[in-house]
Amino acid sequence: MKRLVTAVKRAAPWAAQNADGAIALTLAIVVGVMGIMPGEMFGPKGDDVQRQVISAATLVILALVATALLRDRVRQAPVERTITSGALAQLPERLQRLDQLESLVEGTRKALDELQLVRVLGNRQEIGEALAAARKDTTRWSFKGGTGTYLRAVTLPECVAASRKVRRHLTITVEIVDPTNEEVCEAYAHYRRSLSDLPDGTGERWTTDRARKESYATILAAFWHRQRYGLLDISVGLSHTMTTFRWDLSATRLIMTVEDPNRAMSALAGTFYYENCDSELRLSLEQARRVPIERYKAVPLSDEPTVEEVEELFRRIELPLPKAYTEHDIVDVTRKALQAKDPYGP
C-alpha cells in the first residue's frame, strides 16, 4: 500500500501537467476493455449500448488528443519564435565569424611554417653547405654585396660549369660597389678594416685600392664568362652606396651573410622572407648604374686576358681604369677576376 501511495505521488505532478493526455489514455484503456467484453453484460440491448458507449468515448478521446496537440503547439510557438529570431537570425553572422577565425588560424599556421623555414646558420660548414645547395641545379642567381669576391671565386664559375654541362640557360644579376666612386670604395674598405685590420681569407688587408680592384675584377669576370657561355645572361649594377649584408639568392633559397664568417641566415623559396628579398634585389638593381654587358663582343678576351685587352674592354664600356694603374695593377685585377681565392675556404 505504501508503494502504491508513493507511486501515485510521483505520478500526480505529471498527471496534473498532462491531464488531457492522462484522461485520454484512461478512456482508451476503458474503451479497449469494454470492446472485448461480451455485449450481454450491458443488458438486453447490450450490443447497442456497448457500441454507443465506445463511439462516445472514442470521440471524447479524439477531442482530448486534439486538445493536447493544440496545447503542445501553443507551448512550442514561443520556442520556435526564439529560435527563428535568435539563433537562426544570428547564424549568418556566426558563420562569417567562423570563416574569419578559420582564416586567422590558417594565416597564423602559414606564418609559423615560414618562420620555421628561416634558419640561422652558425658556422662555416653550415654556410658552405647552404650555398652549395643553393647552387645545385639552379637556373638563376642574384647577388648584392660589396665587391663580389666569393661570387668570382666560387659561385660564378661553378654555376656556369654546371649549366654548361647540361646546356641549361642561366641568369645572373650582380650588384657591387662602383669602382669609379672613390668615396664608396673608401667607405667599404673602412668598414671592413673596422671589423678586423688583419688580412682576411685571401691573405690581403682591405684598402680603398683593393676595394676598387675587387669591383673591377668582378666586372671583368662577368664579361669573360659571358663570352664563353652563350646561354649565360648576366647583368651587373654598380652602387654608390655600400651595404653590410651580402645576399645570394638562387631558384631554391636565399642565403644572407655578414662579415662574420660563422653567421648567416637562410630561407627557402616561396617563404615570405625569400619573396621580399627577391623584390628588394630587383628594385635595387634597377636603381644601380648598369654596366653595358651587351657589348661583350666588342673586345674578345683571351683565356688569360692581356693587359691591352683589359684596358680596351674597360675603355669600350666607359669604365676606364685609373690612369695611375700600372701594368702590375692590371695584372692584379685580371688575377682577381679569374683566379680569385675563396675568402671562406680553408
Side-chain angles (χ1 to χ4, degrees):
M1 185 65 180
K2 187 175 182 179
R3 290 181 180 178
L4 178 61
V5 172
T6 302
V8 171
K9 287 182 178 179
R10 289 179 180 178
W14 177 85
Q17 294 179 359
N18 303 275
D20 44 7
I23 295 172
L25 178 61
T26 303
L27 288 175
I29 295 172
V30 172
V31 169
V33 173
M34 291 177 62
I36 63 176
M37 293 173 60
E40 292 78 6
M41 293 183 63
F42 296 93
K45 297 182 179 181
D47 291 338
D48 294 335
V49 173
Q50 186 181 30
R51 283 195 293 274
Q52 290 177 3
V53 172
I54 292 174
S55 297
T58 301
L59 292 174
V60 174
I61 293 171
L62 291 174
L64 291 172
V65 171
T67 302
L69 291 174
L70 291 173
R71 184 200 61 196
D72 290 341
R73 183 166 296 178
V74 170
R75 289 178 178 176
Q76 291 175 2
V79 177
E80 292 177 354
R81 285 195 299 270
T82 300
I83 294 175
T84 303
S85 60
L88 290 180
Q90 297 175 2
L91 185 59
E93 182 180 353
R94 292 182 178 180
L95 290 175
Q96 185 178 5
R97 291 179 181 175
L98 182 60
D99 290 340
Q100 293 174 351
L101 180 61
E102 290 179 351
S103 300
L104 178 61
V105 171
E106 178 64 20
T108 303
R109 184 193 63 79
K110 185 177 180 181
L112 290 174
D113 289 343
E114 291 184 352
L115 285 174
Q116 291 174 356
L117 295 176
V118 177
R119 294 198 308 122
V120 174
L121 309 177
N123 55 61
R124 289 173 180 262
Q125 181 179 352
E126 281 189 327
I127 296 172
E129 291 174 352
L131 288 167
R135 291 192 298 269
K136 184 178 180 181
D137 300 327
T138 189
T139 58
R140 57 174 296 220
W141 194 280
S142 295
F143 170 82
K144 178 181 177 181
T147 58
T149 306
Y150 183 84
L151 179 80
R152 295 191 313 274
V154 180
T155 305
L156 186 55
E158 290 197 6
C159 286
V160 170
S163 297
R164 179 183 282 114
K165 186 175 181 180
V166 294
R167 297 179 177 86
R168 181 175 58 226
H169 183 268
L170 178 63
T171 301
I172 295 181
T173 62
V174 180
E175 185 179 347
I176 55 176
V177 296
D178 189 339
T180 65
N181 188 319
E182 186 172 355
E183 291 183 1
V184 71
C185 290
E186 167 58 28
Y188 184 72
H190 180 269
Y191 170 71
R192 295 296 298 266
R193 288 196 307 271
S194 68
L195 298 178
S196 174
D197 199 31
L198 299 175
D200 62 10
T202 66
E204 296 183 64
R205 290 183 174 86
W206 278 98
T207 63
T208 302
D209 184 58
R210 181 191 171 185
R212 181 185 293 115
K213 286 181 178 179
E214 297 282 357
S215 288
Y216 275 125
T218 298
I219 298 170
L220 178 60
F223 276 93
W224 191 88
H225 284 285
R226 179 65 184 87
Q227 289 184 6
R228 280 157 178 75
Y229 187 48
L231 296 180
L232 171 64
D233 286 337
I234 186 167
S235 301
V236 179
L238 305 178
S239 176
H240 291 290
T241 59
M242 60 154 286
T243 174
T244 60
F245 296 106
R246 287 188 295 269
W247 287 269
D248 285 280
L249 185 143
S250 75
T252 59
R253 68 191 63 210
L254 161 77
I255 298 95
M256 190 174 74
T257 55
V258 292
E259 297 310 324
D260 185 347
N262 294 307
R263 301 292 288 177
M265 188 161 57
S266 174
L268 297 180
T271 61
F272 175 81
Y273 189 73
Y274 175 96
E275 297 298 335
N276 279 272
C277 285
D278 189 14
S279 299
E280 168 67 19
L281 295 181
R282 291 174 184 270
L283 183 60
S284 182
L285 184 64
E286 289 178 1
Q287 300 176 73
R289 176 188 179 189
R290 301 299 288 270
V291 175
I293 293 288
E294 64 276 5
R295 302 180 191 175
Y296 69 94
K297 294 182 180 179
V299 180
L301 297 171
S302 305
D303 289 343
E304 294 184 6
T306 65
V307 171
E308 292 75 16
E309 288 173 350
V310 173
E311 284 183 316
E312 181 63 15
L313 172 67
F314 282 105
R315 187 184 68 80
R316 288 288 188 92
I317 63 174
E318 300 174 3
L319 283 172
L321 296 172
K323 293 181 180 180
Y325 271 18
T326 64
E327 183 175 318
H328 173 76
D329 293 318
I330 298 174
V331 170
D332 194 24
V333 169
T334 305
R335 177 185 59 80
K336 289 177 180 294
L338 305 180
Q339 301 174 20
K341 185 177 180 181
D342 181 359
Y344 306 113

